[in-house]
Amino acid sequence: QQQVKQSPQSLIVQKGGIPIINCAYENTAFDYFPWYQQFPGKGPALLIAIRPDVSEKKEGRFTISFNKSAKQFSLHIMDSQPGDSATYFCAASNTGTASKLTFGTGTRLQVTL
Amino acid sequence: DAGITQSPRHKVTETGTPVTLRCHQTENHRYMYWYRQDPGHGLRLIHYSYGVKDTDKGEVSDGYSVSRSKTEDFLLTLESATSSQTSVYFCAISERPGEQYFGPGTRLTVT
């Protein structure tokens, strides 16, 4: 059962563009929503995270938008750079249950010159 | 990689053989997790631990067992490896709720 649905599977944008990756969840008990960035041959790295009591969080060029009523959240990358080319995973957790994460299936982002 | 090492980093083994993967952390984090990563599936939780000798199953635990005898070490064992267990395996650690930090991964091929 896919509890976190992520789209698109892949995305190509030009340098300076704003890629947007979307995720939707089903379990209303989720209370922590992180995004991970993964480069080839490396482990996922925690990028940014949000809790449902806020609708937006910014860290540098990365922004999470959160819509609790729609059970959706998205990652925006401002002024994207070729170095942002990676696979991005959204995830969700019920922090009261050993903080287990349920991951989306990933989005492969390519930023071209 | 937040003080996490995994060994071996690569392994090729034959169907039916036992395999043990090791995760070692130097952060003294309470929680440890084993995931597998496969194309089209993202990362799926195999087993996790919430303390020494305290472990529980994740969503894809069949065919896997784990042990944690020390805070710093979390072992994943495939009792009898099958080709469907060919995957990249990641260990993660956590101390604050929800924040997990991943190791570099182990690429396992079962022939």
Side-chain angles (χ1 to χ4, degrees):
Chain A
Q1 181 182 2
Q2 182 64 46
Q3 293 194 56
V4 179
K5 295 183 179 179
Q6 182 172 348
S7 63
Q9 275 190 314
S10 62
L11 191 54
I12 301 175
V13 299
Q14 285 192 325
K15 180 175 178 289
I18 306 176
I20 300 172
I21 304 170
N22 300 297
C23 285
Y25 63 97
E26 300 169 3
N27 187 346
T28 55
F30 289 148
D31 59 0
Y32 181 80
F33 302 89
W35 285 89
Y36 284 81
Q37 179 188 57
Q38 185 179 29
F39 293 105
K42 303 291 186 182
L46 181 61
L47 189 61
I48 185 174
I50 195 168
R51 297 191 183 276
D53 53 343
V54 297
S55 60
E56 185 176 275
K57 184 174 181 179
K58 292 182 181 181
E59 285 187 5
R61 295 184 294 107
F62 299 93
T63 299
I64 300 178
S65 297
F66 187 82
N67 185 329
K68 187 174 181 179
S69 61
K71 293 188 286 185
Q72 296 175 346
F73 57 110
S74 59
L75 177 70
H76 302 232
I77 306 175
M78 306 303 176
D79 187 27
S80 59
Q81 302 296 313
D84 296 329
S85 298
T87 299
Y88 293 82
F89 292 94
C90 63
S93 173
N94 177 349
T95 56
T97 58
S99 299
K100 293 183 290 182
L101 286 173
T102 300
F103 282 86
T105 51
T107 297
R108 180 173 290 185
L109 172 66
Q110 183 181 352
V111 182
T112 62
L113 291 170
Chain B
D1 291 321
I4 310 168
T5 56
Q6 293 186 232
S7 58
R9 294 293 315 278
H10 302 271
K11 186 169 182 67
V12 180
T13 191
E14 293 184 347
T15 298
T17 59
V19 176
T20 295
L21 308 182
R22 180 182 184 237
C23 177
H24 178 78
Q25 60 147 329
T26 58
E27 306 294 326
N28 201 36
H29 283 165
R30 176 185 177 187
Y31 298 101
M32 298 186 76
Y33 310 82
W34 276 107
Y35 292 88
R36 60 178 290 173
Q37 185 174 35
D38 305 287
H41 290 278
L43 292 115
R44 292 179 293 173
L45 182 65
I46 304 171
H47 281 280
Y48 64 99
S49 170
Y50 44 95
V52 173
K53 291 187 169 49
D54 293 322
T55 65
D56 206 347
K57 296 178 180 180
E59 63 176 300
V60 290
S61 59
D62 288 349
Y64 302 95
S65 63
V66 290
S67 66
R68 191 172 178 197
S69 58
K70 297 185 290 185
T71 299
E72 58 266 35
D73 289 325
F74 193 32
L75 303 180
L76 176 70
T77 298
L78 290 65
E79 301 291 346
S80 177
T82 68
S83 58
S84 65
Q85 293 176 312
T86 291
S87 186
V88 181
Y89 291 85
F90 287 100
C91 173
I93 64 174
S94 175
E95 188 62 34
R96 294 179 60 180
E99 291 183 14
Q100 293 186 19
Y101 299 93
F102 285 78
T106 294
R107 183 174 295 275
L108 176 68
T109 302
V110 183
T111 61

